[in-house]
Amino acid sequence: MIITKKVVFIAKDDSIKELKSLLTDMVKPSQAEKGCLLYEIYQINEKPNTFVVIESWENEAALDGHKNSSHYAHYKAHFEPYAADKYSDELTALA
């Protein structure tokens, strides 16, 4: 079963550059992982402190593999000082 998530990060006002760098460093290694169908990061034009990650994985095992990767561990160990908030939603494709 395909798993698709939207993860929103809101950077602290003085940490936009740092959070953007940390998140963009996740793109290439995540896209190269087995089972990754989509992994993209967007910055909201009207709210430059807000980043949206859209990711899709073939199944739970692929997502678990992502969560056990070295680049994910690096991100998890470093994002909190730069983020004012973070939340996620699972998405369902309608068509």
Side-chain angles (χ1 to χ4, degrees):
M1 181 174 147
I2 293 176
I3 299 167
T4 302
K5 296 177 75 174
K6 172 190 80 173
V7 185
V8 177
F9 295 85
I10 301 172
K12 294 178 180 173
D13 290 336
D14 61 347
S15 300
I16 294 170
K17 180 180 169 186
E18 293 84 359
L19 185 59
K20 182 178 184 175
S21 177
L22 185 65
L23 294 174
T24 56
D25 286 348
M26 290 285 293
V27 175
K28 294 276 187 222
S30 296
Q31 289 174 337
E33 288 181 60
K34 183 177 188 224
C36 179
L37 303 174
L38 174 72
Y39 196 96
E40 295 184 346
I41 297 177
Y42 302 89
Q43 186 173 20
I44 297 180
N45 294 337
E46 296 80 20
K47 299 178 193 173
N49 69 328
T50 304
F51 301 91
V52 179
V53 178
I54 304 295
E55 56 183 301
S56 286
W57 302 92
E58 282 182 357
N59 51 40
E60 194 71 40
L63 180 56
D64 289 344
H66 172 65
K67 290 180 179 179
N68 289 312
S69 68
S70 60
H71 54 276
Y72 187 86
H74 177 80
Y75 140 76
K76 285 292 278 186
H78 293 91
F79 88 92
E80 286 187 14
Y82 307 132
D85 197 10
K86 174 192 172 216
Y87 58 93
S88 64
D89 296 298
E90 285 204 27
L91 306 175
T92 300
L94 299 179

